[in-house]
Amino acid sequence: MPKKAREGNDTSGLLHYLYGPGKRDEHTNPHLVASWDDPYVKDPARSPDMTIGDLALILDAPVYALRRKKPPEHVYHVAVRNAPEDRLLTDEEWARVAREMMHASGIAPHGDDEACRWVAVRHADDHIHIVATLAREDGRQPRLRQDIPNMHLAARRFEAEFGLRQLTSGDKTGRKWAKTGEKEKGIRRGLSEPAREVLQRTVREAAAAAVDDADFFARLGTSGVRVKQRIAPDGNVTGYSVALPGDRDTGQVPVWFPGARLAPDLSLPRVRERWQIPTVVPAVERAEMWREAELRVRAAADQLGAGGLREGAGDVAALGDLIVVAALVTPRLVRDRIKDAAFEFERASRAPGDRALEGQARGLYRESTYLLSRSTAMAGRSDTVAALGFLLALATAVEASQRWHQAQEHRAQAQASGRAGRLLREAVEVTAGAAAARDYRPRPKRATTRPGGPRRTPVAAGERPMAGVVQQALPVQAAAVLADAAWPALRKRLVAVEQAGQDPAEVLATVAARRELGTADSVAEVLTWRLEGWLRHRASEPPSSGTSPSPTATGGTGRTGAVRKTAAPGPRRPPGDEQRKGPKRSR
């Protein structure tokens, strides 16, 4: 990840900083990894014959030798950093990176003996700093046109060669990331995230659900952010800016962010595209809301991109808004995953090029968005099951968008769709597990004793061999599950089920039968997600839910604690209002 700093005029000061202890991060073992004249340039950290001041004078020599006036800003500075999850590169590998960056930037093309002078300093495991002076040894100026894009292209090649995290070159669809100063300011204020990121999410949620300008600005106003409209002389609103309350600069002036500075699709003209074509949605009952949205999403997934490149770009934009709104109304059990999916899909919702606003899939996605945004349904006992079909349809739609992006060779957008699709699949399986837990009724079991022999001592919770549980519950898939990399995580879930007082074999068989497993890439991982939903649903149940631990886990006599109900159920109480029961009838 090459990042160019502002040009300066103090070569010695920059080198002293790079070889010094550091300000933000501690500098460890600073040393030279490459230079314009290897191996003849000595390292000030490892040679008594070279000081930092001497190295600065050698770098600046072509600048002071210029016959014309010395440029006011002659120090060129680029930091090249790897992602935190990347492997550590050797000094030799970083040296190759530095030479290629200088070639790509135009500072020192390969084979040019009269090019600019430069050095690369490494003082941390994950990055280097390249310092150059902007004066060629033949007195000419270096040609720096498109230096940053060319360095990014070189970085992409090294990512593939070294097996590092592969990023994408800019296609003007990426969001505006918070700067270092904004992050540090948020930490000082005790915020969990910078103000820019809070505003990005708030504006996107308002834009996705709004139906016109008035609704959009009203939603922003009620969300708690400050809003300032830009009004032309003729009275028309031509733009807007938002600010977080309490976020001020050193002059105590609010820090305003125009919509276009938050993300490319949050400028007012792009926001207005969402309701440029009116969408009419019939009124539906609350119980039918998820089903109606599911039908529209499934139909739209089959038509996504059918009208070509421009129409497909409009389709994925509307799908992105749908995921944003879905994250606000889906059951709390999986809401965090849906929010993460909306965040990941944001890049996929912005395809390079023009967009068509009249696509059939786009219209269906907008209708589904309005259905969800107008609904008062919130997470509850019934919503978890009702939302399962919708979430599965949404995951199918995201997979369709991934295939469309791959066909258009949108690598960044296809990868974003893949990450969002995985999160949605997780949400589907967690929801399926919760639905299985809701419908589950444990079978009564009786402890067996041998005639004339002592009663068998029950196995303590957590001591039962879970490999045997898998073989008992899933005899066909047991071998694949036990050999899967996700088996340790599944085992922990099974132990938690047993410790909660349930028979892990019976529970595992129940969640496995809830949905098919034949298309799963990892059966163990899918079952882990389902058991997570099972456990979370059970933990959220009130104590009077009518279930009790299995007798084999508690060491009972075979009688279950649940009271068999024979009368018709009474009126349903609101969620959270526990059913009061009278004393149990004596036997």
Side-chain angles (χ1 to χ4, degrees):
M1 293 181 284
K3 184 178 180 181
K4 181 180 176 181
R6 291 183 179 179
E7 295 174 354
N9 57 11
D10 187 1
T11 307
S12 177
L14 178 56
L15 290 176
H16 273 90
Y17 167 74
L18 296 179
Y19 277 96
K23 294 181 180 179
R24 294 194 186 94
D25 302 317
E26 180 181 359
H27 293 177
T28 305
N29 186 25
H31 59 280
L32 214 64
V33 295
S35 72
W36 82 96
D37 196 15
D38 287 330
Y40 301 106
V41 177
K42 297 181 180 180
D43 186 357
R46 299 179 177 179
S47 173
D49 300 329
M50 177 72 75
T51 66
I52 298 175
D54 293 337
L55 181 59
L57 288 174
I58 296 173
L59 285 169
D60 284 338
V63 179
Y64 289 104
L66 291 174
R67 296 182 179 179
R68 54 183 172 83
K69 185 178 180 181
K70 182 175 73 73
E73 307 288 338
H74 68 277
V75 180
Y76 188 91
H77 179 200
V78 174
V80 188
R81 185 182 300 271
N82 278 355
E85 63 269 23
D86 285 341
R87 68 174 179 85
L88 299 183
L89 301 185
T90 64
D91 282 353
E92 291 73 18
E93 289 173 323
W94 276 121
R96 281 191 56 202
V97 171
R99 296 188 189 98
E100 193 62 34
M101 291 298 168
M102 290 293 93
H103 168 75
S105 66
I107 295 289
H110 294 324
D112 189 348
D113 296 332
E114 303 294 327
C116 299
R117 297 183 177 185
W118 60 272
V119 293
V121 179
R122 182 180 187 180
H123 55 210
D125 290 334
D126 62 347
H127 70 278
I128 60 172
H129 291 263
I130 307 175
V131 180
T133 49
L134 298 179
R136 292 172 53 87
E137 298 202 30
D138 57 8
R140 296 186 292 117
Q141 290 182 337
R143 191 173 185 273
L144 301 180
R145 186 177 180 182
Q146 296 292 312
D147 54 339
I148 291 298
N150 290 336
M151 283 192 287
H152 276 279
L153 290 176
R156 303 296 82 80
R157 293 192 293 269
F158 278 116
E159 288 164 359
E161 178 182 350
F162 293 161
L164 310 176
R165 176 185 175 185
Q166 294 192 22
L167 304 180
T168 56
S169 300
D171 57 5
K172 299 183 179 180
T173 63
R175 67 181 356 226
K176 304 295 183 181
W177 296 98
K179 300 178 180 178
T180 302
E182 296 174 13
K183 295 178 181 178
E184 294 175 350
K185 183 179 181 181
I187 294 174
R188 290 196 303 269
R189 293 184 58 197
L191 302 178
S192 59
E193 54 187 345
R196 182 191 295 268
E197 296 182 6
V198 176
L199 294 172
Q200 282 174 338
R201 184 177 60 254
T202 304
V203 174
R204 186 168 301 283
E205 291 173 356
V211 296
D212 53 32
D213 282 24
D215 188 21
F216 172 63
F217 288 115
R219 289 177 182 271
L220 284 180
T222 57
S223 66
V225 303
R226 303 182 65 179
V227 185
K228 180 173 62 176
Q229 299 181 14
R230 184 170 66 249
I231 302 177
D234 59 1
N236 292 324
V237 179
T238 60
Y240 72 98
S241 298
V242 289
L244 202 62
D247 185 23
R248 298 176 179 272
D249 59 14
T250 54
Q252 295 303 306
V253 177
V255 180
W256 294 97
F257 290 87
R261 292 275 304 279
L262 297 176
D265 59 338
L266 293 183
S267 64
L268 187 57
R270 291 289 302 275
V271 168
R272 283 172 169 164
E273 287 180 355
R274 291 165 166 84
W275 53 79
Q276 182 172 332
I277 299 177
T279 302
V280 180
V281 181
V284 297
E285 296 293 334
R286 172 178 172 177
E288 296 296 323
M289 182 267 297
W290 292 113
R291 179 59 178 168
E292 289 292 331
E294 176 189 349
L295 292 175
R296 286 170 170 79
V297 173
R298 289 191 183 280
D302 296 334
Q303 301 173 11
L304 192 149
L309 175 59
R310 293 183 65 249
E311 189 169 309
D315 295 343
V316 295
L319 177 58
D321 285 344
L322 174 59
I323 302 175
V324 168
V325 173
L328 302 177
V329 298
T330 46
R332 296 185 184 277
L333 186 71
V334 293
R335 192 170 296 177
D336 289 343
R337 278 184 170 88
I338 307 301
K339 287 183 177 180
D340 291 341
F343 177 84
E344 293 293 349
F345 192 80
E346 181 187 325
R347 183 71 182 271
S349 67
R350 294 189 291 266
D354 298 331
R355 296 159 307 286
L357 307 180
E358 66 278 0
Q360 184 69 19
R362 179 184 175 90
L364 291 170
Y365 287 140
R366 293 300 297 167
E367 290 178 13
S368 301
T369 301
Y370 288 148
L371 278 172
L372 299 186
S373 62
R374 294 179 182 179
S375 172
T376 58
M378 303 301 270
R381 289 177 60 89
S382 61
D383 289 340
T384 302
V385 179
L388 178 58
F390 169 78
L391 293 177
L392 185 57
L394 198 60
T396 303
V398 170
E399 291 170 357
S401 73
Q402 182 181 14
R403 292 191 297 270
W404 180 81
H405 280 304
Q406 289 172 340
Q408 307 300 327
E409 298 184 355
H410 299 158
R411 187 164 68 91
Q413 287 76 9
Q415 292 175 349
S417 296
R419 294 191 297 268
R422 175 178 171 81
L423 288 166
L424 287 170
R425 286 291 177 183
E426 289 184 28
V428 167
E429 301 302 343
V430 171
T431 306
R438 177 189 158 179
D439 299 336
Y440 173 71
R441 296 294 181 268
R443 293 176 297 186
K445 297 181 180 179
R446 296 182 179 273
T448 58
T449 57
R450 296 180 179 179
R455 177 178 296 179
R456 181 180 299 175
T457 303
V459 179
E463 295 182 1
R464 186 174 179 180
M466 292 304 162
V469 168
V470 175
Q471 292 169 347
Q472 177 185 347
L474 307 171
V476 176
Q477 298 100 336
V481 169
L482 296 176
D484 198 301
W487 160 239
L490 176 59
R491 184 186 182 281
K492 290 181 181 179
R493 292 283 193 273
L494 290 171
V495 171
V497 168
E498 186 180 37
Q499 291 174 345
Q502 300 293 334
D503 183 350
E506 188 175 340
V507 171
L508 182 61
T510 302
V511 298
R514 190 70 186 187
R515 293 187 65 247
E516 58 85 21
L517 294 170
T519 59
D521 294 331
S522 170
V523 175
E525 192 172 43
V526 169
L527 293 174
T528 302
W529 295 333
R530 293 185 190 178
L531 289 179
E532 177 187 344
W534 175 286
L535 291 167
R536 293 178 65 180
H537 180 85
R538 287 287 174 174
S540 65
E541 283 187 333
S544 58
S545 59
T547 60
S548 63
S550 61
T552 56
T554 58
T557 60
R559 293 176 180 175
T560 62
V563 179
R564 181 176 298 177
K565 298 181 180 179
T566 57
R572 186 174 183 178
R573 297 176 181 267
D577 187 9
E578 298 181 0
Q579 302 283 348
R580 293 185 173 86
K581 297 182 179 181
K584 294 183 178 180
R585 182 180 301 173
S586 60
R587 296 182 182 269

